[in-house]
Amino acid sequence: MRSRRRLCGLALVAVVAALVASCNDNTLGVERRHPNLPPATTLASGPPDSAAGVNYKVHLFWSGADPDGAIDHFDFILIDHPAIQDSIAPALPNDPHRVVVTMPTADDPRWSSTTANDTLIISRADTLRVDPAPPPGGNIGEHDAFVRSRNFERWHTFFVRAVDNYGLVDPVPEYRSFNSTTLAPTIRISPPVNPARNDFKAPRTVIFRWTGEDPVGDGTVLAPVASRWAVVPSRNIASDYLDYPQALYGANVAWSEWHRWDAPDQSGVRAIVRDLQPVDGRGHGFYLFAVQAMDEAGAVTPIFDAGGNGTNEAPNNVVKVFVNDQIGPILRVKERFLGTYSFASGSRPVVVDIATGEPVEFRWVGDASDYGGEIVSYRYGWNIRNPQNDEEWEQNWCSTCTAAPVRIYSNGTQRFFVEARDNAESITRAVIELVVNPLTRRRELLLVDDSVHFSPPDEAYEDTRWAQVIDELRRRRPFDFDSARDVYDVAVKMNQVPPIPLLFDYKNIVWLERKTGSNSALATLAVFFDPFVLRHLNSVRPFNSLDIYVQNGGKLWVCGQQPTEVLWDFGQSAPLRPYPINVTNWKGYNTTDPDVHPDSVGVPSLLWKLGVEVVDAGAGGRANVQRGDDPGFFCTGFRRMAPPGSEKQQFMTTTGAEHEHAILVQTADVNNQPPAGVTYTTDEVLGHTHSLHLSPAQLSALARGERLDNVPLSESLLPSPHAHTVTLQDRVGLWGAPLRLEPDTPNWAQPVDPNFNPDHGRPNVEIYNMSKPLDGYRLRPDPAVWLGLYGYTCAMVADSTRGFVYPFTADQQPAVIVRRNLPTDLAYSRALCGFEPFRLQLGGHIALADNILLRQFRLGLPNAP
């Protein structure tokens, strides 16, 4: 074909030469007698002419020659033939499917110039010669696989011509016709969409994301160049969606605009779909979401498939959407004592009772992954009146604001607000309404029946006995008591802890306890919580409101069977339980057990607040757990151990002049307050330090576990005049823990009862505070001391003359602990009995209750503290 076109060109040159020869040489001049000859063009490499099945990336090479000059540049045109033209073979005249090559005119504006001798052309291959819609009744899977394997195509003709240095063009350009082909790109809609499921549960606003790939045909895979998406309303019929997938192949689908795959706003790889209607009785709420990708050749994803092969590895560019009534992210708010609360859009406020003085520290996390969203920011605040007013929020929108500082309230109703916002601008608000309960102490006596007996007669006997004792106390000193109102039976209340408002409404509480395992309300509320134990790292315990109760003047008497084993966390080591030999520095028996931390302390426990510092020091009847190789398990003395580094605690000051300081407070100064107080110096920052002076009163307050807020430090002139404050509070639980026994105290001499079984080991030892001699029924300790040592075992035997007593102890007396809230208090406000008082004879029970409730707690006295 190329030689035929060149012959025609030579004939044209000959005709021109003949015409020139017939003219007068003097008229035409020298230039007219020797005209400029046109250049010639050669297509050296590229697809063969009329080739089919050519990769859409076509590389062509050419050259040119000029018989009387030089080649200045080349012009080229790529002609895209109409999609309907699918063959270049000869056919009938006027056949619309036959490719017709028409030479462009010399002045065609489509000519492009280049000085290069080659070009890589990205040609279009955007026509699919098969119908992508599945046939009615056909095998959709086989049909889709067939369509995916078919190439998109388009016929093209490339023309190129040389241009010489006089601007004369090759009058007969070279050309090649070829059919470009490519496979269409594929789409995979990303999780949380799961193609193995039949539908996707979505909120009204949902964000879809997808990935895609485009096989070039030469072994390489590129990203698509653009995408578009559509949402088609549907209905759920017989567990499937109406007209799926046929509805997506129709001409009436409202597709979005094409978005570049690499668009800065990510519109090429995601879609934010808003205002979807939830499912209702009229069939609304079901949708088909589809996405198509286009490659650089113009091929568009032809198949609509929601299932793929059941994994995210298969193409799945359709989602069957089921819309619920949720809008926006899930917001989970956690508080270490209150637990975790989950909020969705429209959730109502959660109302929670807390105790006066209870520290509240909220943390939260938002989750929009269920519908493909991302949390971009949070904000929070207290007692907000107008949430639309940004100024009322304590911290406005912030991507890292996931916790609020500790707050402590003494009364009133406090409302905590936190909002999470996703990248679709959907917002979920959580409101937690805290009802702060102060100690009202309007009523006299609450009896909490937390003891469950396996023998019904024992249960009835205990209830009857306490009713008799309370009646006798009321006869001795009248006070208001109603057995229907002032008795809280835990078993009747489905093992629920007495609510805070109820506890705080009483001046005196008697808590009857019996070791019953997980059904104990006292264990749920007040069991010792060791923060060093691994299994406690992520656990949530109710705030021990009894601590607040007793610290604010409430009077509490705990009595029952083995109350220590209810109030102390023995872990998972039963029957070899790690008894708190030294509560001020508890050390378990098995220090290799992750549930027993060797440096834990028990001073935050209610057991210690009730007066107990040592329990079962001599191992008592549990000789099998006595450690003969560890003198710390014998009564040879105690020392307060501490975690490494607890000799001091570091605190950070507030920010001033755009910096802050660290300051170290020594534990020894807190435990043994110097008469003149102590002065500390901060670390050096920006060339200066500050000093902090703590008075003996302040050190004593820290030893009592109190917090000192905003203590001022000295001022500094560097880098500019400024000052700082610091808030101090014991964070380890060691400051002020009393050391009742000095180290290396000799073994305590304990007389051995002739009936004592020597296999049981030595008698148990407890340390407890005594008030004054208890009257009658073998309850009088002798001698009467403020701090005494008395032994006991848990076994009880019946005695025909004395009723139930505790043998195997130094003086056969039950363990009774009565202590003050503070050493300066006149009345005792806390009591613990390591036995069930109703087992005593009636007179002994009354005498014990009289001494604790009437004499110590001053039950029924007007203006009693």
Side-chain angles (χ1 to χ4, degrees):
M1 183 177 292
R2 173 59 187 165
S3 61
R4 177 180 58 80
R5 292 201 295 268
R6 176 52 58 189
L7 289 175
C8 293
L10 292 176
L12 179 62
V13 172
V15 172
V16 173
L19 292 173
V20 170
S22 65
C23 298
N24 187 300
D25 287 347
N26 293 331
T27 302
L28 296 177
V30 176
E31 293 298 327
R32 296 290 187 179
R33 290 197 300 271
H34 301 283
N36 180 33
L37 298 178
T41 312
T42 302
L43 260 173
S45 179
D49 190 51
S50 303
V54 175
N55 188 283
Y56 76 97
K57 289 187 174 183
V58 183
H59 202 172
L60 298 113
F61 296 83
W62 55 80
S63 62
D66 185 32
D68 56 357
I71 299 299
D72 181 76
H73 64 275
F74 298 91
D75 295 334
F76 65 88
I77 294 178
L78 180 68
I79 302 296
D80 298 334
H81 293 289
I84 194 174
Q85 297 178 355
D86 61 5
S87 173
I88 201 169
L92 296 175
N94 301 321
D95 182 356
H97 297 284
R98 180 175 180 271
V99 175
V100 178
V101 179
T102 302
M103 187 72 66
T105 62
D107 58 351
D108 193 312
R110 294 175 296 174
W111 289 106
S112 297
S113 298
T114 180
T115 58
N117 290 88
D118 72 303
T119 186
L120 179 64
I121 294 179
I122 306 297
S123 60
R124 296 190 64 78
D126 55 5
T127 304
L128 187 64
R129 303 296 182 189
V130 298
D131 185 359
N139 187 310
I140 294 180
E142 291 181 359
H143 172 79
D144 288 354
F146 170 74
V147 173
R148 286 194 181 99
S149 67
R150 301 292 295 177
N151 280 321
F152 279 68
E153 61 182 57
R154 177 73 79 107
W155 278 93
H156 309 275
T157 300
F158 178 81
F159 297 89
V160 62
R161 68 185 183 186
V163 183
D164 68 10
N165 54 331
Y166 287 101
L168 190 60
V169 300
D170 183 350
V172 184
E174 282 278 77
Y175 70 85
R176 297 282 175 87
S177 296
F178 52 88
N179 187 23
S180 297
T181 61
T182 188
L183 290 173
T186 57
I187 291 288
R188 295 182 180 89
I189 298 181
S190 304
V193 172
N194 183 356
R197 294 179 56 88
N198 190 51
D199 58 13
F200 172 64
K201 186 177 180 180
R204 296 186 183 187
T205 297
V206 60
I207 302 173
F208 293 105
R209 288 180 171 81
W210 53 83
T211 60
E213 58 184 32
D214 175 37
V216 174
D218 59 0
T220 60
V221 177
L222 303 177
V225 298
S227 68
R228 66 177 184 175
W229 54 270
V231 176
V232 177
S234 183
R235 291 175 180 267
N236 187 270
I237 304 295
S239 299
D240 204 351
Y241 280 47
L242 182 66
D243 292 335
Y244 166 78
Q246 288 79 5
L248 296 168
Y249 292 96
N252 296 325
V253 177
W255 290 98
S256 71
E257 296 179 356
W258 287 102
H259 298 274
R260 288 193 56 82
W261 193 266
D262 58 355
D265 62 356
Q266 299 185 357
S267 57
V269 291
R270 73 172 185 179
I272 302 177
V273 182
R274 306 179 189 274
D275 301 323
L276 297 177
Q277 296 302 308
V279 171
D280 58 21
R282 299 183 298 277
H284 298 149
F286 300 94
Y287 299 88
L288 298 173
F289 173 83
V291 59
Q292 290 181 308
M294 178 191 294
D295 66 13
E296 58 184 352
V300 176
T301 309
I303 293 300
F304 296 105
D305 185 4
N309 63 359
T311 72
N312 275 337
E313 296 303 318
N316 62 298
N317 65 326
V318 178
V319 184
K320 300 175 182 179
V321 182
F322 165 80
V323 180
N324 62 10
D325 203 24
Q326 172 189 319
I327 306 173
I330 298 295
L331 181 56
R332 295 179 177 89
V333 184
K334 181 178 181 180
E335 209 284 329
R336 57 177 176 163
F337 297 121
L338 304 179
T340 301
Y341 302 93
S342 294
F343 296 84
S345 180
S347 293
R348 295 182 177 180
V350 172
V351 180
V352 182
D353 278 308
I354 66 170
T356 179
E358 177 177 342
V360 180
E361 185 176 12
F362 286 114
R363 299 179 181 274
W364 54 86
V365 62
D367 183 9
S369 60
D370 280 350
Y371 56 92
E374 294 179 355
I375 303 299
V376 296
S377 58
Y378 303 93
R379 64 178 179 175
Y380 68 88
W382 287 90
N383 299 319
I384 294 174
R385 293 170 295 178
N386 179 13
Q388 307 307 317
N389 182 1
D390 293 345
E391 300 298 325
E392 290 195 45
W393 293 85
E394 184 173 331
Q395 175 64 62
N396 210 5
W397 296 114
C398 168
S399 61
T400 59
C401 304
T402 57
V406 176
R407 287 292 186 95
I408 298 177
Y409 292 101
S410 59
N411 54 53
T413 298
Q414 315 295 333
R415 305 185 82 206
F416 178 73
F417 292 72
V418 59
E419 290 184 343
R421 182 171 64 187
D422 67 14
N423 52 348
E425 298 297 322
S426 296
I427 296 175
T428 293
R429 177 184 302 158
V431 179
I432 299 180
E433 192 171 287
L434 303 178
V435 179
V436 185
N437 292 272
L439 269 70
T440 56
R441 293 185 291 184
R442 298 178 304 161
R443 304 190 186 282
E444 293 290 342
L445 176 65
L446 174 66
L447 183 68
V448 179
D449 186 354
D450 198 15
S451 63
V452 178
H453 296 267
F454 296 106
S455 170
D458 281 352
E459 184 75 34
Y461 180 66
E462 181 184 38
D463 294 343
T464 301
R465 167 61 74 81
W466 273 102
Q468 290 177 295
V469 171
I470 292 175
D471 285 344
E472 175 59 23
L473 297 182
R474 293 176 66 196
R475 188 188 63 81
R476 298 182 180 187
R477 181 185 298 159
F479 58 87
D480 184 26
F481 183 84
D482 185 329
S483 59
R485 179 194 64 196
D486 301 325
V487 175
Y488 185 92
D489 193 316
V490 173
V492 173
K493 301 294 185 180
M494 305 299 293
N495 301 319
Q496 294 298 309
V497 173
I500 293 174
L502 178 70
L503 296 176
F504 284 11
D505 205 24
Y506 287 87
K507 299 176 182 177
N508 304 273
I509 298 176
V510 177
W511 201 299
L512 312 180
E513 186 54 63
R514 201 168 199 275
K515 182 187 171 187
T516 56
S518 60
N519 293 332
S520 168
L522 184 63
T524 300
L525 181 63
V527 68
F528 169 62
F529 183 83
D530 184 354
F532 294 107
V533 173
L534 294 180
R535 61 191 169 88
H536 289 168
L537 292 181
N538 295 316
S539 63
V540 176
R541 296 292 181 93
F543 179 75
N544 185 1
S545 55
L546 288 178
D547 281 350
I548 297 292
Y549 179 78
V550 297
Q551 289 170 8
N552 286 274
K555 298 168 184 176
L556 175 67
W557 176 16
V558 176
C559 56
Q561 181 199 59
Q562 297 176 291
T564 296
E565 297 201 18
V566 174
L567 288 171
W568 195 264
D569 182 4
F570 291 104
Q572 302 169 350
S573 306
L576 307 181
R577 300 181 180 90
Y579 276 88
I581 292 178
N582 186 349
V583 173
T584 61
N585 177 44
W586 172 56
K587 180 179 180 181
Y589 284 101
N590 183 4
T591 56
T592 63
D593 187 338
D595 284 342
V596 180
H597 196 284
D599 291 328
S600 300
V601 292
V603 292
S605 68
L606 182 63
L607 189 68
W608 181 82
K609 291 180 175 64
L610 289 170
V612 178
E613 296 179 43
V614 176
V615 177
D616 287 357
R622 296 175 175 82
N624 56 333
V625 299
Q626 182 173 330
R627 288 296 186 83
D629 59 343
D630 189 344
F633 289 89
F634 290 90
C635 302
T636 59
F638 296 90
R639 64 185 184 276
R640 185 172 57 217
M641 298 172 63
S646 63
E647 298 84 4
K648 53 185 174 294
Q649 295 187 44
Q650 177 174 296
F651 302 88
M652 298 304 298
T653 68
T654 55
T655 301
E658 299 183 351
H659 70 279
E660 57 186 15
H661 294 266
I663 191 164
L664 297 175
V665 177
Q666 301 293 327
T667 299
D669 294 335
V670 176
N671 291 339
N672 305 285
Q673 302 90 23
V678 63
T679 300
Y680 296 109
T681 302
T682 67
D683 62 342
E684 182 175 327
V685 178
L686 299 178
H688 73 283
T689 61
H690 299 263
S691 62
L692 169 70
H693 182 78
L694 296 177
S695 67
Q698 289 175 307
L699 294 170
S700 297
L702 293 175
R704 294 192 298 269
E706 298 177 12
R707 187 173 70 181
L708 302 181
D709 291 314
N710 301 318
V711 182
L713 282 72
S714 64
E715 295 185 359
S716 175
L717 299 179
L718 296 175
S720 60
H722 71 281
H724 304 270
T725 64
V726 66
T727 296
L728 305 174
Q729 187 178 33
D730 181 18
R731 294 180 303 210
V732 182
L734 292 176
W735 285 355
L739 191 63
R740 295 304 188 194
L741 297 178
E742 296 299 329
D744 303 322
T745 301
N747 290 348
W748 298 308
Q750 293 286 352
V752 178
D753 189 281
N755 297 320
F756 182 71
N757 185 344
D759 293 336
H760 287 173
R762 304 190 309 171
N764 298 335
V765 176
E766 283 205 11
I767 302 177
Y768 57 90
N769 296 320
M770 292 297 298
S771 56
K772 56 184 180 179
L774 300 175
D775 294 330
Y777 298 94
R778 305 192 59 79
L779 295 178
R780 177 185 292 115
D782 188 22
V785 292
W786 179 73
L787 179 63
L789 301 178
Y790 298 90
Y792 78 102
T793 62
C794 295
M796 293 185 294
V797 298
D799 184 278
S800 58
T801 60
R802 292 177 299 166
F804 287 92
V805 298
Y806 288 82
F808 312 146
T809 63
D811 53 5
Q812 290 189 330
Q813 74 166 24
V816 179
I817 303 169
V818 184
R819 71 168 294 177
R820 300 181 179 93
N821 180 22
L822 297 173
T824 55
D825 290 346
L826 298 178
Y828 286 72
S829 59
R830 310 173 195 185
L832 176 70
C833 296
F835 59 95
E836 296 174 294
F838 82 96
R839 303 276 188 190
L840 299 172
Q841 292 180 347
L842 178 60
H845 190 173
I846 293 173
L848 180 63
D850 179 282
N851 182 270
I852 293 176
L853 294 176
L854 299 186
R855 300 188 185 187
Q856 304 304 327
F857 289 5
R858 301 186 179 184
L859 172 62
L861 288 180
N863 302 319

